[in-house]
Amino acid sequence: DGGITQSPKYLFRKEGQNVTLSCEQNLNHDAMYWYRQDPGQGLRLIYYSQIVNDFQKGDIAEGYSVSREKKESFPLTVTSAQKNPTAFYLCASSMVGNTIYFGEGSWLTVV
Amino acid sequence: AQSVSQHNHHVILSEAASLELGCNYSYGGTVNLFWYVQYPGQHLQLLLKYFSGDPLVKGIKGFEAEFIKSKFSFNLRKPSVQWSDTAEYFCAVITYGNNRLAFGKGNQVVVIP
């Protein structure tokens, strides 16, 4: 099946730990995105990448890092510097300027 | 950077009532506009989109939206809602030359049977 696969779906992290969320797409899309969804705040852009080996900060990049070594993969690392990491994280992809499609999301909880 | 405004975050209505959700954006250039829907426990799905042409766009499940350039608006409508339309609805805007898709804060719609 074509689509965007995020893993894990649920993740628990201890304070002070870094965690990495995986995002893979087989849609041959050039652009990939990471959003964070919090109740009542909509979706906020963390990072996006329009091409392999290049990425840009979104509106809330502090405490996060990404890499884009392959076209189909865009992992997000939530570092210990992120002060409020508990949230629902959505990965998305698109052809540049076109409709953006979303994965099913990953729930991260800090314990 | 562009911003997207959605008002009335919580909307409660009865089945068969009409629904209209407002969306305004702040960018003056050429835009692509979207409405996404998130049903309970499901991922975001595209409801409809506007790139160019007829400003009245029809989407899935009987939804439509009208792009009014002079008002920087892209309001979503459905003449008669069903219980299954209970969901959160997000308006989103992407501007030419900038691939950042900006979202509004969403409308939580609850349809009472």
Side-chain angles (χ1 to χ4, degrees):
Chain A
D1 282 349
I4 302 168
T5 302
Q6 289 186 239
S7 62
K9 190 164 186 175
Y10 299 97
L11 184 61
F12 295 89
R13 186 195 95 172
K14 292 182 180 179
E15 284 195 24
Q17 284 183 336
N18 293 352
V19 292
T20 297
L21 306 180
S22 169
C23 179
E24 304 278 329
Q25 54 98 359
N26 61 4
L27 301 169
N28 200 32
H29 286 167
D30 292 313
M32 295 188 74
Y33 309 79
W34 274 105
Y35 287 87
R36 171 179 169 144
Q37 186 176 11
D38 296 282
Q41 298 201 48
L43 280 77
R44 294 181 290 169
L45 182 64
I46 305 172
Y47 270 97
Y48 67 109
S49 167
Q50 299 186 60
I51 196 168
V52 174
N53 292 323
D54 187 42
F55 48 83
Q56 288 80 41
K57 292 182 179 180
D59 300 316
I60 55 165
E62 185 175 351
Y64 300 98
S65 66
V66 292
S67 62
R68 187 85 187 278
E69 296 176 3
K70 298 185 296 182
K71 186 176 184 178
E72 59 270 22
S73 178
F74 192 43
L76 173 74
T77 297
V78 185
T79 75
S80 57
Q82 169 50 237
K83 296 193 186 322
N84 185 22
T86 295
F88 186 54
Y89 292 87
L90 284 163
C91 179
S93 71
S94 74
M95 295 305 289
V96 172
N98 214 314
T99 304
I100 292 179
Y101 295 93
F102 288 84
E104 295 195 357
S106 294
W107 286 97
L108 172 63
T109 302
V110 174
V111 296
Chain B
Q2 69 271 31
S3 66
V4 183
S5 298
Q6 292 180 246
H7 308 290
N8 302 323
H9 181 65
H10 292 98
V11 177
I12 302 173
L13 58 169
S14 300
E15 277 193 317
S18 65
L19 173 68
E20 179 160 359
L21 302 177
C23 173
N24 291 91
Y25 61 94
S26 64
Y27 183 70
T30 303
V31 294
N32 291 341
L33 300 154
F34 306 84
W35 276 96
Y36 285 87
V37 60
Q38 190 172 34
Y39 297 104
Q42 296 188 28
H43 63 284
L44 275 166
Q45 303 171 40
L46 181 68
L47 200 53
L48 48 78
K49 63 184 179 183
Y50 173 80
F51 283 10
S52 64
D54 188 345
L56 184 62
V57 179
K58 295 195 184 297
I60 60 172
K61 304 189 180 186
F63 284 91
E64 65 179 29
E66 185 175 13
F67 171 51
I68 303 179
K69 190 174 181 179
S70 61
K71 294 185 178 181
F72 300 92
S73 70
F74 189 54
N75 294 353
L76 180 71
R77 297 191 292 255
K78 185 170 183 178
S80 176
V81 295
Q82 300 173 310
W83 174 79
S84 58
D85 293 321
T86 294
E88 191 155 18
Y89 295 81
F90 295 95
C91 181
V93 176
I94 193 167
T95 57
Y96 269 37
N98 177 343
N99 290 301
R100 297 169 57 131
L101 184 67
F103 282 85
K105 293 188 176 183
N107 295 107
Q108 183 66 58
V109 175
V110 175
V111 180
I112 301 170

